[in-house]
Amino acid sequence: GGVSKLPRPPEGPDEDGQGPGPGPTGPHGGSGAVAGPLDPSTQQAIAETEITPEMLKEFDTILDTATSLMAQSKIDDARGQLVRVFPFVMQKPESFSKPTRARCKALMGLFMQSRGAPMAAALLRQAVDDDPAALDALGDAFAAQKDAPHARALWTALQSSQADFPGKAKLADKLK
């Protein structure tokens, strides 16, 4: 449904035919741009899209795929998956469970952190606020896939927060 009907940003030269548009090298350097605000037509399409149980299932699958891609250091591919879910989570948070919101924000925060984007820390804090236990589990998932840097980033964010959750006492051991 609705996700496939959203407009996609152009990937090529900008309007004057010179230089890259918002494609692979983007305004922030490196490969994979950090997206700016959504255009009004995309915001309207998201607002008008009814989030169905089937879509929620698909969004969870997309987040699982993004997690695997990120664990394989395929950061830009993970971003390609995340941008299919992230706008919905941010515009319609009430449609998503706290664990799903936390995972999505954490994954986008990790992507942004890899690109040096200043909003990364704020997104990770929002993810902690949504569901710290979900972030701990996401860190465990990264560790199980032998992705220590992303696991460490999540556990560090959790440890530095005031959030209390069942696994908090074990964070110091995980960070060793």
Side-chain angles (χ1 to χ4, degrees):
V3 177
S4 64
K5 294 178 184 174
L6 291 176
R8 301 235 187 249
E11 297 215 11
D14 54 17
E15 298 84 40
D16 64 3
Q18 305 294 314
T25 57
H28 298 286
S31 58
V34 176
L38 296 174
D39 65 72
S41 64
T42 302
Q43 289 179 358
Q44 183 177 353
I46 291 170
E48 293 174 358
T49 300
E50 179 187 347
I51 306 293
T52 65
E54 293 80 18
M55 286 178 73
L56 290 172
K57 243 174 138 174
E58 179 64 21
F59 287 155
D60 279 336
T61 300
I62 291 168
L63 292 177
D64 290 342
T65 300
T67 301
S68 285
L69 290 167
M70 194 167 282
Q72 297 168 34
S73 297
K74 296 178 179 179
I75 305 299
D76 294 327
D77 293 338
R79 179 202 174 268
Q81 296 297 310
L82 289 170
V83 297
R84 297 171 59 198
V85 181
F86 187 74
F88 287 94
V89 168
M90 296 306 285
Q91 192 162 342
K92 295 183 154 205
E94 70 285 349
S95 298
F96 296 86
S97 68
K98 286 184 177 190
T100 299
R101 286 195 315 254
R103 282 177 54 205
C104 187
K105 289 177 185 178
L107 289 167
M108 186 59 83
L110 291 172
F111 165 77
M112 293 176 84
Q113 189 176 61
S114 75
R115 297 297 181 248
M119 286 299 296
L123 265 179
L124 289 172
R125 278 192 303 275
Q126 285 181 26
V128 169
D129 290 344
D130 279 335
D131 192 335
L135 259 62
D136 187 34
L138 184 58
D140 291 341
F142 279 126
Q145 295 181 56
K146 309 241 184 291
D147 182 0
H150 287 124
R152 179 174 291 283
L154 292 174
W155 293 330
T156 300
L158 284 167
Q159 190 173 47
S160 65
S161 76
Q162 299 299 316
D164 193 24
F165 60 99
K168 186 155 187 166
K170 297 177 184 177
L171 283 177
D173 290 335
K174 289 180 178 184
L175 286 166
K176 289 181 182 178

PDB file of all heavy atoms in Angstrom, residues 10 27 35 42 45 58 65 67 83 85 87 105-107 125 132 151 164-165 175:
ATOM      1  N   PRO A  10      14.490  12.629  -5.918  1.00  0.00           N
ATOM      2  CA  PRO A  10      15.263  12.343  -7.125  1.00  0.00           C
ATOM      3  C   PRO A  10      16.677  11.944  -6.772  1.00  0.00           C
ATOM      4  O   PRO A  10      17.219  12.366  -5.761  1.00  0.00           O
ATOM      5  CB  PRO A  10      15.235  13.668  -7.888  1.00  0.00           C
ATOM      6  CG  PRO A  10      14.957  14.705  -6.857  1.00  0.00           C
ATOM      7  CD  PRO A  10      14.153  14.028  -5.786  1.00  0.00           C
ATOM      8  N   PRO A  27      24.203  16.399   0.675  1.00  0.00           N
ATOM      9  CA  PRO A  27      24.767  17.617   1.206  1.00  0.00           C
ATOM     10  C   PRO A  27      25.693  17.427   2.393  1.00  0.00           C
ATOM     11  O   PRO A  27      26.422  18.329   2.745  1.00  0.00           O
ATOM     12  CB  PRO A  27      23.525  18.427   1.611  1.00  0.00           C
ATOM     13  CG  PRO A  27      22.497  17.392   1.901  1.00  0.00           C
ATOM     14  CD  PRO A  27      22.792  16.265   0.955  1.00  0.00           C
ATOM     15  N   ALA A  35      18.530  12.893   5.281  1.00  0.00           N
ATOM     16  CA  ALA A  35      17.371  13.531   4.680  1.00  0.00           C
ATOM     17  C   ALA A  35      16.925  14.753   5.452  1.00  0.00           C
ATOM     18  O   ALA A  35      17.018  14.811   6.668  1.00  0.00           O
ATOM     19  CB  ALA A  35      16.223  12.526   4.598  1.00  0.00           C
ATOM     20  N   THR A  42       4.334  14.749   0.604  1.00  0.00           N
ATOM     21  CA  THR A  42       4.664  13.512   1.304  1.00  0.00           C
ATOM     22  C   THR A  42       4.060  13.521   2.699  1.00  0.00           C
ATOM     23  O   THR A  42       3.506  12.515   3.152  1.00  0.00           O
ATOM     24  CB  THR A  42       6.191  13.321   1.378  1.00  0.00           C
ATOM     25  OG1 THR A  42       6.717  13.311   0.054  1.00  0.00           O
ATOM     26  CG2 THR A  42       6.551  12.026   2.081  1.00  0.00           C
ATOM     27  N   ALA A  45       0.458  12.738   2.326  1.00  0.00           N
ATOM     28  CA  ALA A  45       0.240  11.323   2.011  1.00  0.00           C
ATOM     29  C   ALA A  45       0.360  10.466   3.265  1.00  0.00           C
ATOM     30  O   ALA A  45      -0.442   9.546   3.474  1.00  0.00           O
ATOM     31  CB  ALA A  45       1.239  10.858   0.950  1.00  0.00           C
ATOM     32  N   GLU A  58       4.562  -5.320   8.246  1.00  0.00           N
ATOM     33  CA  GLU A  58       5.565  -5.018   7.219  1.00  0.00           C
ATOM     34  C   GLU A  58       6.624  -4.060   7.767  1.00  0.00           C
ATOM     35  O   GLU A  58       7.817  -4.221   7.497  1.00  0.00           O
ATOM     36  CB  GLU A  58       4.893  -4.427   5.972  1.00  0.00           C
ATOM     37  CG  GLU A  58       5.859  -4.074   4.866  1.00  0.00           C
ATOM     38  CD  GLU A  58       6.600  -5.265   4.266  1.00  0.00           C
ATOM     39  OE1 GLU A  58       6.129  -6.412   4.390  1.00  0.00           O
ATOM     40  OE2 GLU A  58       7.670  -5.044   3.668  1.00  0.00           O
ATOM     41  N   THR A  65      15.081  -5.999   8.745  1.00  0.00           N
ATOM     42  CA  THR A  65      16.008  -5.946   7.618  1.00  0.00           C
ATOM     43  C   THR A  65      17.032  -4.831   7.827  1.00  0.00           C
ATOM     44  O   THR A  65      18.231  -5.034   7.598  1.00  0.00           O
ATOM     45  CB  THR A  65      15.235  -5.730   6.297  1.00  0.00           C
ATOM     46  OG1 THR A  65      14.318  -6.813   6.119  1.00  0.00           O
ATOM     47  CG2 THR A  65      16.178  -5.643   5.106  1.00  0.00           C
ATOM     48  N   THR A  67      18.084  -3.606  10.607  1.00  0.00           N
ATOM     49  CA  THR A  67      18.993  -4.028  11.672  1.00  0.00           C
ATOM     50  C   THR A  67      20.064  -4.961  11.117  1.00  0.00           C
ATOM     51  O   THR A  67      21.260  -4.775  11.386  1.00  0.00           O
ATOM     52  CB  THR A  67      18.214  -4.730  12.805  1.00  0.00           C
ATOM     53  OG1 THR A  67      17.227  -3.826  13.321  1.00  0.00           O
ATOM     54  CG2 THR A  67      19.136  -5.166  13.925  1.00  0.00           C
ATOM     55  N   VAL A  83      13.980   4.764   5.863  1.00  0.00           N
ATOM     56  CA  VAL A  83      13.181   5.890   5.369  1.00  0.00           C
ATOM     57  C   VAL A  83      11.791   5.458   4.924  1.00  0.00           C
ATOM     58  O   VAL A  83      10.932   6.306   4.697  1.00  0.00           O
ATOM     59  CB  VAL A  83      13.897   6.669   4.240  1.00  0.00           C
ATOM     60  CG1 VAL A  83      15.184   7.285   4.746  1.00  0.00           C
ATOM     61  CG2 VAL A  83      14.135   5.800   3.020  1.00  0.00           C
ATOM     62  N   VAL A  85       9.919   3.663   6.950  1.00  0.00           N
ATOM     63  CA  VAL A  85       9.160   3.548   8.194  1.00  0.00           C
ATOM     64  C   VAL A  85       9.236   4.834   9.024  1.00  0.00           C
ATOM     65  O   VAL A  85       8.237   5.284   9.590  1.00  0.00           O
ATOM     66  CB  VAL A  85       9.688   2.362   9.040  1.00  0.00           C
ATOM     67  CG1 VAL A  85       8.904   2.213  10.330  1.00  0.00           C
ATOM     68  CG2 VAL A  85       9.684   1.075   8.251  1.00  0.00           C
ATOM     69  N   PRO A  87       9.331   8.152   8.672  1.00  0.00           N
ATOM     70  CA  PRO A  87       8.373   9.265   8.599  1.00  0.00           C
ATOM     71  C   PRO A  87       7.027   8.935   9.227  1.00  0.00           C
ATOM     72  O   PRO A  87       6.394   9.785   9.844  1.00  0.00           O
ATOM     73  CB  PRO A  87       8.226   9.526   7.092  1.00  0.00           C
ATOM     74  CG  PRO A  87       9.444   8.936   6.473  1.00  0.00           C
ATOM     75  CD  PRO A  87       9.828   7.780   7.347  1.00  0.00           C
ATOM     76  N   LYS A 105      13.574   4.768  15.893  1.00  0.00           N
ATOM     77  CA  LYS A 105      14.342   5.974  16.231  1.00  0.00           C
ATOM     78  C   LYS A 105      15.797   5.630  16.527  1.00  0.00           C
ATOM     79  O   LYS A 105      16.704   6.371  16.134  1.00  0.00           O
ATOM     80  CB  LYS A 105      13.712   6.679  17.430  1.00  0.00           C
ATOM     81  CG  LYS A 105      12.382   7.339  17.117  1.00  0.00           C
ATOM     82  CD  LYS A 105      11.778   7.946  18.375  1.00  0.00           C
ATOM     83  CE  LYS A 105      10.400   8.504  18.120  1.00  0.00           C
ATOM     84  NZ  LYS A 105       9.804   9.051  19.349  1.00  0.00           N
ATOM     85  N   ALA A 106      16.020   4.521  17.212  1.00  0.00           N
ATOM     86  CA  ALA A 106      17.399   4.123  17.524  1.00  0.00           C
ATOM     87  C   ALA A 106      18.177   3.803  16.259  1.00  0.00           C
ATOM     88  O   ALA A 106      19.328   4.221  16.103  1.00  0.00           O
ATOM     89  CB  ALA A 106      17.399   2.924  18.472  1.00  0.00           C
ATOM     90  N   LEU A 107      17.568   3.066  15.346  1.00  0.00           N
ATOM     91  CA  LEU A 107      18.252   2.720  14.104  1.00  0.00           C
ATOM     92  C   LEU A 107      18.559   3.968  13.276  1.00  0.00           C
ATOM     93  O   LEU A 107      19.658   4.120  12.748  1.00  0.00           O
ATOM     94  CB  LEU A 107      17.419   1.722  13.286  1.00  0.00           C
ATOM     95  CG  LEU A 107      17.352   0.313  13.872  1.00  0.00           C
ATOM     96  CD1 LEU A 107      16.261  -0.511  13.184  1.00  0.00           C
ATOM     97  CD2 LEU A 107      18.698  -0.385  13.782  1.00  0.00           C
ATOM     98  N   ARG A 125      18.146   9.595  22.446  1.00  0.00           N
ATOM     99  CA  ARG A 125      17.469   9.920  23.711  1.00  0.00           C
ATOM    100  C   ARG A 125      15.963   9.668  23.602  1.00  0.00           C
ATOM    101  O   ARG A 125      15.336   9.147  24.523  1.00  0.00           O
ATOM    102  CB  ARG A 125      17.731  11.367  24.110  1.00  0.00           C
ATOM    103  CG  ARG A 125      19.063  11.586  24.799  1.00  0.00           C
ATOM    104  CD  ARG A 125      19.173  12.955  25.449  1.00  0.00           C
ATOM    105  NE  ARG A 125      18.958  14.054  24.514  1.00  0.00           N
ATOM    106  CZ  ARG A 125      19.903  14.588  23.736  1.00  0.00           C
ATOM    107  NH1 ARG A 125      21.134  14.119  23.774  1.00  0.00           N
ATOM    108  NH2 ARG A 125      19.623  15.586  22.917  1.00  0.00           N
ATOM    109  N   PRO A 132      13.286   1.785  26.867  1.00  0.00           N
ATOM    110  CA  PRO A 132      14.685   1.407  27.092  1.00  0.00           C
ATOM    111  C   PRO A 132      14.933  -0.098  26.953  1.00  0.00           C
ATOM    112  O   PRO A 132      15.982  -0.512  26.463  1.00  0.00           O
ATOM    113  CB  PRO A 132      14.983   1.894  28.502  1.00  0.00           C
ATOM    114  CG  PRO A 132      13.678   2.208  29.126  1.00  0.00           C
ATOM    115  CD  PRO A 132      12.698   2.429  28.035  1.00  0.00           C
ATOM    116  N   ALA A 151      26.018  -2.093  19.106  1.00  0.00           N
ATOM    117  CA  ALA A 151      25.537  -2.540  20.413  1.00  0.00           C
ATOM    118  C   ALA A 151      26.059  -1.609  21.501  1.00  0.00           C
ATOM    119  O   ALA A 151      25.298  -1.149  22.362  1.00  0.00           O
ATOM    120  CB  ALA A 151      25.979  -3.977  20.675  1.00  0.00           C
ATOM    121  N   ASP A 164      15.020   3.510  33.778  1.00  0.00           N
ATOM    122  CA  ASP A 164      15.129   2.295  34.570  1.00  0.00           C
ATOM    123  C   ASP A 164      14.375   1.192  33.817  1.00  0.00           C
ATOM    124  O   ASP A 164      13.274   1.404  33.320  1.00  0.00           O
ATOM    125  CB  ASP A 164      14.504   2.516  35.948  1.00  0.00           C
ATOM    126  CG  ASP A 164      14.873   1.410  36.919  1.00  0.00           C
ATOM    127  OD1 ASP A 164      15.917   0.756  36.707  1.00  0.00           O
ATOM    128  OD2 ASP A 164      14.103   1.184  37.871  1.00  0.00           O
ATOM    129  N   PHE A 165      14.999   0.051  33.700  1.00  0.00           N
ATOM    130  CA  PHE A 165      14.390  -1.084  33.025  1.00  0.00           C
ATOM    131  C   PHE A 165      15.044  -2.340  33.581  1.00  0.00           C
ATOM    132  O   PHE A 165      16.104  -2.283  34.209  1.00  0.00           O
ATOM    133  CB  PHE A 165      14.548  -0.982  31.504  1.00  0.00           C
ATOM    134  CG  PHE A 165      15.968  -0.944  31.032  1.00  0.00           C
ATOM    135  CD1 PHE A 165      16.591  -2.087  30.556  1.00  0.00           C
ATOM    136  CD2 PHE A 165      16.698   0.225  31.078  1.00  0.00           C
ATOM    137  CE1 PHE A 165      17.907  -2.049  30.132  1.00  0.00           C
ATOM    138  CE2 PHE A 165      18.013   0.268  30.658  1.00  0.00           C
ATOM    139  CZ  PHE A 165      18.620  -0.869  30.181  1.00  0.00           C
ATOM    140  N   LEU A 175      29.088  -3.596  28.494  1.00  0.00           N
ATOM    141  CA  LEU A 175      30.004  -2.589  27.938  1.00  0.00           C
ATOM    142  C   LEU A 175      31.469  -2.943  28.095  1.00  0.00           C
ATOM    143  O   LEU A 175      32.332  -2.244  27.580  1.00  0.00           O
ATOM    144  CB  LEU A 175      29.697  -1.215  28.543  1.00  0.00           C
ATOM    145  CG  LEU A 175      28.436  -0.553  28.013  1.00  0.00           C
ATOM    146  CD1 LEU A 175      28.015   0.613  28.880  1.00  0.00           C
ATOM    147  CD2 LEU A 175      28.628  -0.118  26.564  1.00  0.00           C
TER     148      LEU A 175
END
